[in-house]
Amino acid sequence: MSTDIVIVGAAETDEIGRLPDRSVFELHLEGACNALADAGLTKDDVDGVATVGTPGPVQVAHALGITPAWLDGTSVGGTSFLFHVRHALAAIRAGLCHTVLITHGESGRSRVGAPPRAFGRDSLPGQFELPYGTMGPATTFTVTALRYMKETGLTHEQLASVAVAQRRWSSRNPRAAMRDLVTVEDVLASRLVAYPFHLLECCLVTDGGGALVVTSRERAEALGTRKPPVYVLGSGESAESPIISQMEDFTTSRSFRLSSQAAFADAKITHADVDHLMIYDAFAHVPIYGLEDMGFVGRGEAGAFIEEGHTSPGGRLPMNTNGGGLSYTHTGMYGMFAMQESIRQLRGEAAAQVPDVEVGVVLGNGGMFMSAATLVLGNRRS
Amino acid sequence: MPTDQPAAVPKAIPKPTPETRPFWDGAAAGELRVQRCLACLRHYFYPRPVCPHCGTSDVEWVTVSGRATLYSYVISHRPAPGFAEDGPYAIAVVELEEGVRMMTNIVGIEITPENLELDMPLRVVFEPRGDVHVPLFAPAAAPATGGER
Ligand SMILES: [Zn+2]
């Protein structure tokens, strides 16, 4: 039997939202310190570091005084941190290291100490997207939606209902950026950003960070960590296209399907086992794709499923219970926050706590349907 | 454009790389060129030296018809640099009759959801921009003038 891998530390930065006095690097370190404190560990217990390209694992390790035996700088968009958990799991099982710190920090709104966003004119986006007046995710990630609507019959009202459902959750979460309940009419009356997407169907742009500490169950017991462990029961990863126009089918994400099939098989679970779900929601259509591509509902059924309240408080599949990228926070790489909420729910310490959560699933998206990773987490061994 | 206005910000101009140069050379010549695999005979886009379908590097450049249909789009209400005078503009993905898709803008028609019906027939036109020509698509029935909005 393979080694049990557990998350023993999980924390966000003290504040999230608008933090113009904090740099990207500071946000990484604050999240790291908070996660280590949450675990009851110190930097001397850590021998592996993973984070995205900037500032990168070397800088994070050096700043904290960690001498790593293992590093991972996988940088495949906002779901990178789910990949890091999966890679840490493999590294720990292989004996390459014992305890891994995974950090995220991003000054997505204030742009303090943040790398430039520009693509080169000779890059793939520079040649085949930017000449057409794309303005980041709001005009690229969104371009699949009308095709999906035509082929499945998804209505504008159902698309808007994704934002409505998530506001029902964030209204119960004091840390969420947007907490006022909204109606479908409110969403459709908000200004058009990129037809068919209105402002309230687009994610926030915020500053913040967070970190995780991952180790083996045996190590956690030997070190005496503070909180009950969250088990990584299964994982999967995949990727599709670096530019959205080359996705094979605009109505379904191949990488959502493949990463989720792999994670469910790895964890030996079925959909009925899932008590709580996080789907990376950069825009309102993404949870719709996620629900279908993961197999929670049939083709073309996700819009009605959300509209009918099944993912809302009291529904049978509580989803994006922090309010998601649409209402909680979205620093630009939201994957860390999706995992943090899943862990809070499994520990019973979420702001909008769902009763009896034993198995949670997190689907992370990177880029514009570019990459995906899926984790199955549980508060006990499978 | 009035001369007392500050110089307009230009639209983004792509910079060819060695593997994409034949595509941009074709556009400058008023031709839409994509690659085709000589082993599996399938067309593909974006330019690259290996067929993504079967993995062979036995590939060629071909000039395609430029006939396409509208696969999907958004209408951007926030102008990118150079697009301020266009009003809301369509960032579209079209499907060529040879089966490949590419991002583009729709021109030659007022940009409204009512005017832009998915699967409507389109044809390529080329807009000179800096030292390259950018392929755009117009309704197939529209008069043959490139770059109009
Ligand atoms: Zn081939």
Side-chain angles (χ1 to χ4, degrees):
Chain A
M1 161 177 183
S2 57
T3 312
D4 290 335
I5 300 298
V6 291
I7 299 170
V8 293
E12 298 177 1
T13 47
D14 297 343
E15 293 176 84
I16 52 172
R18 193 186 167 113
L19 307 170
D21 57 342
R22 314 301 302 277
S23 74
V24 168
F25 188 40
E26 280 185 279
L27 294 166
H28 274 266
L29 300 185
E30 184 178 301
C33 291
N34 288 351
L36 285 169
D38 182 72
L41 300 180
T42 74
K43 58 98 174 171
D44 294 328
D45 298 313
V46 174
D47 61 353
V49 175
T51 191
V52 290
T54 304
V58 173
Q59 190 176 336
V60 168
H62 184 261
L64 292 169
I66 294 167
T67 302
W70 176 87
L71 302 114
D72 183 8
T74 300
S75 199
V76 288
T79 189
S80 297
F81 315 102
L82 282 80
F83 282 70
H84 296 153
V85 169
R86 187 169 200 257
H87 299 175
L89 172 154
I92 293 165
R93 283 186 179 158
L96 305 182
C97 58
H98 300 291
T99 303
V100 172
L101 176 66
I102 300 169
T103 70
H104 164 60
E106 194 166 14
S107 183
R109 181 178 190 90
S110 304
R111 310 300 300 165
V112 183
R117 279 187 169 136
F119 289 106
R121 292 201 296 123
D122 56 358
S123 65
L124 270 184
Q127 292 188 70
F128 302 114
E129 289 186 344
L130 292 176
Y132 303 112
T134 57
M135 292 279 281
T139 51
T140 48
F141 212 159
T142 49
V143 80
T144 65
L146 285 178
R147 190 80 219 171
Y148 177 91
M149 293 171 85
K150 170 159 179 166
E151 294 196 10
T152 66
L154 178 82
T155 66
H156 293 274
E157 288 74 17
Q158 287 171 340
L159 185 64
S161 75
V162 177
V164 172
Q166 297 196 187
R167 205 58 82 77
R168 290 177 185 143
W169 287 112
S170 72
S171 71
R172 302 166 180 220
N173 186 351
R175 268 170 75 87
M178 306 297 281
R179 295 192 294 272
D180 293 338
L181 290 170
V182 292
T183 64
V184 165
E185 292 69 31
D186 293 333
V187 176
L188 295 178
S190 64
R191 83 179 157 77
L192 270 172
V193 173
Y195 172 85
F197 286 82
H198 303 79
L199 186 64
L200 296 186
E201 292 159 325
C202 302
C203 62
L204 302 160
V205 183
T206 64
D207 309 320
L212 301 176
V213 181
V214 181
T215 191
S216 63
R217 181 174 56 86
E218 292 76 7
R219 192 77 165 189
E221 286 169 358
L223 292 170
T225 53
R226 283 179 60 226
K227 298 260 183 88
V230 167
Y231 289 81
V232 184
L233 302 177
S235 65
E237 68 186 63
S238 192
E240 190 169 344
S241 167
I243 50 175
I244 195 159
S245 61
Q246 301 311 306
M247 221 178 147
E248 69 184 3
D249 181 340
F250 270 20
T251 70
T252 172
S253 163
R254 188 175 75 200
S255 55
F256 282 8
R257 297 195 310 270
L258 295 180
S259 70
S260 299
Q261 285 164 13
F264 277 59
D266 188 25
K268 300 181 178 63
I269 62 159
T270 68
H271 296 87
D273 297 318
V274 179
D275 303 311
H276 176 257
L277 177 63
M278 296 299 291
I279 296 180
Y280 192 119
D281 57 324
F283 293 90
H285 64 319
V286 183
I288 290 173
Y289 284 61
L291 284 169
E292 294 184 12
D293 291 334
M294 299 179 94
F296 283 102
V297 297
R299 162 91 171 166
E301 294 175 359
F305 187 78
I306 293 170
E307 188 177 45
E308 289 162 9
H310 299 304
T311 64
S312 290
R316 61 182 143 114
L317 184 59
M319 181 179 81
N320 295 349
T321 51
N322 56 355
L326 298 182
S327 289
Y328 178 64
T329 207
H330 197 306
T331 53
M333 289 184 282
Y334 169 74
M336 177 59 76
F337 299 98
M339 288 191 290
Q340 295 282 348
E341 174 66 8
S342 184
I343 292 161
R344 287 192 292 264
Q345 289 285 348
L346 288 159
R347 287 173 166 181
E349 55 187 34
Q353 182 65 43
V354 173
D356 307 320
V357 177
E358 294 183 351
V359 174
V361 173
V362 187
L363 170 63
N365 164 84
M368 318 311 149
F369 289 121
M370 178 183 81
S371 65
T374 308
L375 298 179
V376 180
L377 305 177
N379 54 18
R380 48 182 194 172
R381 298 170 71 179
S382 51
Chain B
M1 183 183 304
T3 50
D4 57 342
Q5 294 288 315
V9 184
K11 291 179 178 174
I13 300 170
K15 182 178 177 186
T17 48
E19 77 277 13
T20 67
R21 172 63 69 184
F23 177 81
W24 296 112
D25 285 350
E31 294 181 356
L32 190 63
R33 295 180 190 159
V34 301
Q35 285 165 295
R36 184 175 64 172
C37 174
L38 289 164
C40 72
L41 302 179
R42 293 177 71 177
H43 295 79
Y44 67 92
F45 182 79
Y46 49 92
R48 50 208 194 273
V50 178
C51 171
H53 304 295
C54 70
T56 177
S57 54
D58 192 11
V59 301
E60 64 173 355
W61 282 94
V62 295
T63 297
V64 296
S65 68
R67 285 190 291 272
T69 52
L70 182 56
Y71 184 60
S72 201
Y73 67 93
V74 293
I75 299 175
S76 179
H77 287 258
R78 251 187 348 160
F83 282 79
E85 292 177 7
D86 290 19
Y89 57 100
I91 297 166
V93 172
V94 298
E95 183 168 305
L96 305 185
E97 68 179 5
E98 292 78 13
V100 305
R101 298 191 190 119
M102 59 179 66
M103 187 174 277
T104 190
N105 295 132
I106 304 300
V107 295
I109 190 171
E110 189 192 354
I111 299 301
T112 66
E114 295 71 30
N115 281 350
L116 298 177
E117 198 172 325
L118 294 198
D119 302 316
M120 67 190 281
L122 303 165
R123 61 182 173 75
V124 72
V125 296
F126 294 93
E127 178 183 273
R129 195 182 297 177
D131 51 0
V132 302
H133 287 64
V134 177
L136 308 177
F137 284 78
T145 49
E148 280 184 10
R149 280 161 214 281

